[in-house]
Amino acid sequence: MAEKVKYLSPEWRDEAERRLTAELPPEKMNFVTSSMSNIYRNCPDGSEKYLYFKFVDGKFAEMLIGEGESPKPEFAITGNYETFAKITRGELNAQKALMTLKLKLKGNMVKALRLASLADRLNKVLATIPTDY
Amino acid sequence: MTTQPNAPYFIDFPKRIKNIQEQMQKENIDVYLGSRLRTLSWTTDAFFPWRSFIVIPPEGLPTAFTFVIDAARAADDSWLGEDHVYGFAPMGGQDQIEQISDFIKELLKNGKGRVGVESGMSNYLPEGWLTHYEYQQFDAAMPDAELVNAHTIVDKLALIKDAGTINRFKEASRIVDVGHQAVFDAIKDGGYKGMTETEIAGIAALAMRRAGSEWEWSFTGGNEIASGYRTGYAGGACTPASRREIQAGEPLMVDIHATFKLGLGDHAHNYLIGPATDRQRWHADNFVSIVKKTLETYRAGITPSLLAEQMMDFSEQGGFADYMVPGYEHGIGLLGDEWRIGLNDGPFPFWTNPDHVYQENEVLICAMQYACPDENIGFRYENPIVLFKDHCEEMSKFPLAIEEIA
């Protein structure tokens, strides 16, 4: 796939799902069961969007993109659209974004620490999608 | 964590939470935000050495919050488990004020209600009262909630000790006795020569750790050792071990501390390093006699002021009242609770009420200090005691005496 897709569009979602299923088998996700939502504020069209992931026993189970309230996740990360875009483009470290209040995490931090490396793996896969932000 | 009801160290922590929730309801408190170390210990059965909080909802399990680097360990030690022990950190949405206030707001209807906090003062530094800054920040983060002082709820419930708590204190006291025996064995027959106070503290610590102690818990310096003139400080109730060498012809005070499942051992024993003078022996005999008298007097129904009066009369008759520090106790409970006796109902806020009437199954430290700075001599006695209707039981069984060490 060489053609760029628009970030958070249905095409981007389909491509993300295809890559996550192919590249993150359950053993790479430590057989984890968890869910996470990225809440995008100040999207280019002025809306607030969410990107919701769910893994069951390490298997990619669900990915939803929508507007308004996200399904209740175990972890929710909230920030500006541009912040998430910078992270996905590799221009900003996610941890630094959290430590400088550019992102806010809700959920049990102790569990989040254990899942940090998995989130990194997931983000790295998403970063490979040719994307138009 | 001791979960078997018939186990000697079992404490019914879920029942404690329900008791707090019943009191919350009676006092119209919607959520209790505890911040004192004693409250954390009493509700979670785990040691929370970092700044920590516990949020108790109107029903269901509480959730503890602590510095993220220690949260997994605390969750493992506590009966609450990882779903009810959160870690906070300097990250967006994860600092203690935002994390805890968001958590509380979800428990309140539309963010409105009364939140009980723990506000007060203490001579005990690690108490953990809510600070002024924390109060302001929580108040601002929960604009529709009213913060009200509610520490009395926990204080009342924690006053009378249950069997599991008393047994933990007894085991910690047994461990302290092991430490005292190790010190005695090390210093006797000239073994004290060249030894420093810090070394004695270490000998006791090693023996007690071998016997199962988790920590020499006292914030006054762990194992407190005083020799020579250091035993006779006026008021003299805090002597972290120094590098001073033990000398012949001097007194030696050994006050050691062990922890067992948050139960606290605390026993002070005294020696005269020979050769002792008649005058030193006289001081020592005075002290042993008043400790015996005090232990015979402690029981339910007596008050701190009544006991002090009787003991000062006794020391006056014995001609040594000038050397007695006129206090005979301090409060004690699971780790973090080492301050006043009873409740905050005395003439001086947050100090022991001298007219507190002791009840059966209260536990306190019988704590006595004899100080004669002019003669470079003093003694200390400390021992956890449990009160019964007509007597008290000393938990540390190391024989009361002031031995002369050759």
Side-chain angles (χ1 to χ4, degrees):
Chain A
M1 183 188 178
E3 203 173 313
K4 287 185 177 180
V5 289
K6 186 155 180 54
Y7 191 39
L8 302 183
S9 66
E11 296 75 26
W12 184 89
R13 196 211 78 88
D14 292 346
E15 185 59 22
E17 182 168 339
R18 190 186 69 71
R19 293 187 185 219
L20 290 173
T21 307
E23 297 177 34
L24 291 181
E27 59 271 24
K28 266 200 165 179
M29 291 301 286
N30 297 346
F31 304 99
V32 72
T33 295
S34 187
S35 56
M36 182 179 80
S37 256
N38 291 347
I39 315 290
Y40 299 78
R41 292 205 168 130
N42 301 316
C43 292
D45 62 1
S47 67
E48 180 172 308
K49 290 189 169 68
Y50 65 81
L51 170 61
Y52 172 87
F53 303 93
K54 188 175 181 183
F55 286 82
V56 176
D57 298 328
K59 198 173 168 188
F60 178 72
E62 198 172 13
M63 185 181 197
L64 302 170
I65 293 174
E67 286 190 16
E69 198 169 335
S70 158
K72 194 167 171 61
E74 187 171 19
F75 303 101
I77 301 178
T78 306
N80 283 332
Y81 174 96
E82 189 51 32
T83 301
F84 282 108
K86 280 182 178 171
I87 290 168
T88 310
R89 290 195 299 258
E91 296 167 12
L92 177 65
N93 177 284
Q95 193 171 332
K96 189 174 178 188
L98 278 165
M99 294 180 84
T100 52
L101 283 172
K102 288 187 169 67
L103 290 179
K104 282 194 176 189
L105 170 69
K106 282 198 84 173
N108 187 326
M109 183 77 185
V110 181
K111 286 186 176 177
L113 280 179
R114 289 209 304 264
L115 299 178
S117 61
L118 303 184
D120 274 353
R121 260 168 239 168
L122 190 142
N123 281 331
K124 277 177 186 163
V125 171
L126 297 182
T128 63
I129 302 171
T131 302
D132 180 12
Y133 295 95
Chain B
M1 193 164 41
T2 306
T3 54
Q4 298 301 316
N6 57 351
Y9 309 118
F10 172 78
I11 293 173
D12 193 344
F13 286 96
K15 180 81 174 10
R16 285 185 173 182
I17 300 303
K18 281 184 182 153
N19 290 341
I20 291 173
Q21 289 164 332
E22 278 174 21
Q23 287 305 314
M24 286 164 57
Q25 198 176 9
K26 282 180 188 165
E27 297 183 25
N28 195 24
I29 303 286
D30 298 294
V31 176
Y32 190 97
L33 172 60
S35 58
R36 291 179 301 169
L37 183 55
R38 67 164 73 186
T39 303
L40 271 297
S41 293
W42 199 78
T43 53
T44 68
D45 202 12
F47 176 38
F48 281 83
W50 302 93
R51 184 50 166 162
S52 302
F53 302 86
I54 184 156
V55 174
I56 304 174
E59 53 187 26
L61 292 178
T63 298
F65 297 79
T66 192
F67 186 15
V68 70
I69 61 165
D70 194 32
R73 191 278 311 165
D76 188 41
D77 286 356
S78 170
W79 64 282
L80 290 171
E82 67 172 6
D83 286 338
H84 289 276
V85 178
Y86 278 39
F88 51 74
M91 288 187 173
Q94 293 293 320
D95 72 277
Q96 58 268 55
I97 301 298
E98 183 167 352
Q99 192 186 59
I100 293 170
S101 55
D102 281 356
F103 190 91
I104 291 174
K105 281 189 279 190
E106 283 185 18
L107 295 171
L108 298 172
K109 284 176 189 157
N110 302 317
K112 291 179 182 170
R114 279 160 55 90
V115 177
V117 298
E118 297 184 326
S119 179
M121 67 175 188
S122 173
N123 269 7
Y124 185 58
L125 189 62
E127 187 87 30
W129 297 108
L130 198 68
T131 68
H132 179 249
Y133 180 80
E134 288 165 341
Y135 178 91
Q136 286 181 316
Q137 297 303 306
F138 281 124
D139 195 40
M142 297 183 281
D144 295 326
E146 182 190 2
L147 306 186
V148 294
N149 202 358
H151 67 85
T152 305
I153 289 178
V154 170
D155 293 354
K156 279 182 184 168
L157 292 169
L159 182 62
I160 303 299
K161 306 300 189 271
D162 51 33
T165 301
I166 290 170
N167 287 337
R168 292 177 185 206
F169 271 78
K170 285 183 174 175
E171 177 59 7
S173 298
R174 183 196 68 76
I175 293 170
V176 162
D177 289 349
V178 171
H180 274 300
Q181 187 63 50
V183 170
F184 177 72
D185 291 343
I187 64 173
K188 70 180 182 183
D189 301 330
Y192 71 85
K193 289 174 186 168
M195 212 175 257
T196 60
E197 292 177 7
T198 51
E199 193 175 347
I200 289 174
I203 288 165
L206 177 61
M208 292 192 293
R209 293 267 177 162
R210 280 181 170 152
S213 173
E214 295 143 15
W215 185 34
E216 301 75 58
W217 58 272
S218 167
F219 197 67
T220 45
N223 290 334
E224 295 179 59
I225 313 294
S227 61
Y229 78 95
R230 279 171 41 82
T231 61
Y233 288 132
C238 178
T239 47
S242 77
R243 284 166 291 280
R244 191 175 189 279
E245 221 172 85
I246 312 305
Q247 304 285 338
E250 290 189 342
L252 171 66
M253 190 285 299
V254 179
D255 178 9
I256 59 178
H257 305 90
T259 311
F260 180 80
K261 292 180 180 286
L262 304 176
L264 306 176
D266 177 1
H267 182 42
H269 191 80
N270 303 272
Y271 298 96
L272 292 173
I273 306 297
T277 64
D278 289 346
R279 179 71 176 171
Q280 285 177 321
R281 195 66 257 170
W282 178 77
H283 281 304
D285 292 344
N286 290 340
F287 189 63
V288 170
S289 69
I290 196 166
V291 171
K292 276 185 186 162
K293 184 73 177 171
T294 304
L295 292 171
E296 284 165 12
T297 309
Y298 261 120
R299 66 198 61 209
I302 203 164
T303 66
S305 59
L306 193 58
L307 186 126
E309 214 173 287
Q310 290 181 19
M311 293 311 107
M312 289 314 286
D313 283 349
F314 180 81
S315 59
E316 191 67 49
Q317 286 163 20
F320 59 92
D322 289 350
Y323 312 123
M324 286 308 302
V325 177
Y328 296 85
E329 74 288 301
H330 68 72
I332 202 74
L334 292 180
L335 187 66
D337 179 358
E338 195 208 357
W339 180 222
R340 66 170 195 276
I341 299 289
L343 304 176
N344 179 33
D345 54 4
F348 290 93
F350 298 100
W351 290 81
T352 290
N353 180 355
D355 294 326
H356 170 75
V357 180
Y358 287 117
Q359 300 172 62
E360 283 189 73
N361 290 319
E362 269 189 63
V363 171
L364 59 133
I365 301 290
C366 174
M368 302 166 65
Q369 186 72 35
Y370 185 105
C372 181
D374 292 344
E375 297 176 41
N376 295 328
I377 190 166
F379 307 105
R380 183 185 305 167
Y381 182 80
E382 285 192 285
N383 200 340
I385 59 174
V386 56
L387 301 182
F388 297 103
K389 189 180 171 188
D390 55 0
H391 71 288
C392 77
E393 180 187 344
E394 308 103 87
M395 297 202 199
S396 185
K397 309 293 186 190
F398 202 70
L400 173 63
I402 299 181
E403 297 92 344
E404 186 172 335
I405 298 293

